[in-house]
Amino acid sequence: MSGAVLVAIAAAIGNLLQGWDNATIAGAVLYIKKEFHLESNPSMEGLIVAMSLIGATLITTWSGGVADWLGRRPMLILSSVLYFVGSLVMLWSPNVYVLLLGRLLDGFGVGLVVTLVPIYISETAPPEIRGLLNTLPQFTGSGGMFLSYCMVFGMSLMPSPNWRLMLGVLFVPSLVFFFLTIFFLPESPRWLVSKGRMLEAKRVLQRLRGREDVSGEMALLVEGLGIGGETTIEEYIIGPADEVADDLDIAVDKDQIKLYGAEEGLSWVARPVKGGSTVSVLSRHGSTMSRRQGSLVDPLVTLFGSVHEKMPETGSMRSALFPHFGSMFSVGGNQPRNEEWDEENLVGEGEDYPTDRGEDSDDDLHSPLISRQTTSMEKDMHSGHGPLSTFRHGSQVQGAHGEGGGAGSMGIGGGWQVAWKWTEREDESGQKEGGFKRIYLHQEGFPGSRRGSIVSLPGGGEGTGEAEFVQASALVSQPALYSKDLLREHTIGPAMVHPSETVKGSLWHDLQDPGVKRALFVGVGLQILQQFSGINGVLYYTPQILEQAGVGILLSNLGISSSSSSLLISALTTFVMLPAIAVAMRLMDLSGRRTLLLTTIPILIASLIVLVISNLVHMNSVVHAVLSTVSVVLYFCFFVMGFGPTPNILCSEIFPTRVRGICIAICALTFWICDIIVTYSLPVLLKSIGLAGVFGMYAIVCCISWGFVYLKVPETKGMPLEVITEFFSVGARQAEADKTN
């Protein structure tokens, strides 16, 4: 866990450079225009400031696709190089055109960081603290702005401030970031799995999690390579198996799944609940209510909300009743309880499976997908022999000859488990056909005192403890390595399918998946609304507000020039943000992303309304200054707690691994385009509708934002990325079904 935290901190240094650059140019431009005589050429002055924004926009258009191709780490290394080279060019800058080149290179670095750091942190962080770690870029960015403002303020007090040094000193932190990306940051394990580099991914995960056993998460990463597919929501009752249950033949009861724990003799029995999952029932109820209310609330929101409503108090399936639940695995068939595992059947750490990638062929490609045990039949598969039917009967992941089957389950974070079962059914010709089903499990409610007899579980007597059980919601879908297309090419079974083969497909086809399109709608919508919510306008107006509050007079009495005082005011404004961001880091995984947005946006609306009133109503100057100052401070604090970091966090969570880079690039491109529009329209709006009109317009956008979040944005806290994308797929299909009904 500490490994993931340190990696996230190191990656967030890139955002510190972004904040540093934004603040430095704001101070340096005061002296640049004097040296190059730009007082009469405001367009060139504006171009110098905006060139970084232009560079970020240009590079964002292709950064996501290249990151999906080459990896996240090489692109972060490239961003550090661009920062470094750009700072040296600005340090040199003999004329304004060389300065523009340096600003452009710097903007390229900014664009890569804004796009890739949220992806990288999301793909390396555990689900339980992913929100906290993904708020780090907001904190380091604001911290970089504060440090830069302090540096520029100190240099402005010198007799002849050197703007080249102000801009060029960026090479020092950029050099630190370069060494961190080269020698400390690993590649994203999810990207490594998508390229079939399983051994590297396993080692990275072990480093990030600080433990040797990462088989469950490795399995999850492979399952995340799939996009779309039919997914059903089911519910299981999972209880401890007693000796009565052990004497039963699991194969006889097609509705029963037997789960074995890691310790000898420790096992559980799972039975599907008839009538569907509690989550699915709540989702259908929510969809019905949505239709009655005019289909306003997205079924996706209801679906995610039902999961969080049913979360146990501990937030984990590792309850007192099942202390070893997180490490359990499954064995199919009528396995004796005390059977010793055959040590000769275990795959050694150093054994590699033959693939087309030579040294990139990694140990036990099938092991994370099934279990840590290997049968002799699987060894036959390793050597390329044996049909699929033989594999089904010989593998230890096979279950009974029926729908119940066996399942292998491992912890994947956030209280979720991943499991597999074998299912069989008869086709139209009467022949039996079967296949694997992948299951994401999450405990519902609390481990309680329900009796097994209520659901006819074995051992459901009237004892006080033996018959207790837990309810688990289940997302049941086709495994990533068991698609029909792959099995046509590899008839010997999914264990021989290389994970990289699952990502061979049309990018356009993947982007057309209903779940991906729904996620893009949410991500792009949040980026647009964030930029038009007023942050740029409030930042623009802050020095004027604080000047009215008497801060400027106080500083001038201390002998500080107007240029220096404006820099100090900006530094103080940025400093106020830091405690608020620290609070957001704590709340992001406790209250959740959606809750933070719904509770902070109303404060933004109230602050903007107060600013509108204070500029329309004639009042005492002291009262006006107090109201304006309090409103601005509240706006900044609550913006950086909610609308500041949350859109990027959500965008880094809601897209499948195969298209995460390109989708986040689309969202980031939207961000930069809207930033350009807002920045350059602000002076025009100020002249046409005045300051009160601008703030009023921002307040209306914030009201629209609150409605958008309430109706369309789901809660993703504590959920593995792959589970989130699966829910988006289910929710999108539910929404389409609602439209047709």
Side-chain angles (χ1 to χ4, degrees), residues 527-597:
Q527 296 291 352
I528 294 173
L529 293 170
Q530 182 208 48
Q531 284 302 299
F532 285 93
S533 64
I535 184 62
N536 289 316
V538 177
L539 282 171
Y540 178 87
Y541 186 51
T542 297
Q544 180 181 340
I545 292 174
L546 296 180
E547 182 77 20
Q548 293 173 348
V551 177
I553 297 175
L554 176 63
L555 295 176
S556 63
N557 291 335
L558 296 176
I560 299 176
S561 66
S562 59
S563 298
S564 298
S565 63
S566 66
L567 294 171
L568 184 57
I569 289 172
S570 298
L572 293 174
T573 304
T574 308
F575 180 75
V576 170
M577 299 181 187
L578 296 178
I581 300 173
V583 173
M585 292 172 65
R586 175 63 177 164
L587 295 179
M588 197 63 70
D589 292 306
L590 293 178
S591 300
R593 294 82 159 125
R594 173 181 163 89
T595 302
L596 273 179
L597 286 173

Side-chain angles (χ1 to χ4, degrees), residues 68 189-197 225 499-501 503 657:
D68 286 337
R190 283 177 167 83
W191 183 85
L192 289 171
V193 167
S194 72
K195 301 302 178 182
R197 295 157 63 174
L225 299 179
S500 61
E501 298 188 38
V503 298
T657 301

Side-chain angles (χ1 to χ4, degrees), residues 507-517:
L507 176 63
W508 179 251
H509 179 268
D510 291 339
L511 292 176
Q512 290 299 307
D513 177 77
V516 175
K517 289 195 294 185

Side-chain angles (χ1 to χ4, degrees), residues 118-119 122-123 130 134 190 224 226-227 300 304 510 513-527 593 646-661 663-664 667 708 712-717 719-729 732:
I119 301 178
S122 284
E123 292 186 343
R130 188 176 60 241
N134 241 332
R190 283 177 167 83
I227 291 181
L300 188 70
F304 274 84
D510 291 339
D513 177 77
V516 175
K517 289 195 294 185
R518 184 56 58 93
L520 275 172
F521 174 75
V522 172
V524 170
L526 283 173
Q527 296 291 352
R593 294 82 159 125
T646 306
N648 281 344
I649 293 175
L650 284 169
C651 287
S652 66
E653 295 176 330
I654 59 180
F655 301 113
T657 301
R658 284 167 59 172
V659 294
R660 185 171 292 128
C663 287
I664 292 187
C667 295
F708 180 81
K712 300 296 182 182
V713 179
E715 181 55 73
T716 60
K717 67 173 182 178
M719 301 176 70
L721 299 181
E722 289 71 16
V723 176
I724 293 173
T725 57
E726 193 84 8
F727 268 103
F728 262 91
S729 180

Side-chain angles (χ1 to χ4, degrees), residues 17 80 83-84 170-181:
L17 301 179
S80 67
Y83 272 129
F84 182 73
L170 181 67
F171 85 90
V172 177
S174 64
L175 194 60
V176 174
F177 186 48
F178 173 76
F179 281 111
L180 287 174
T181 55

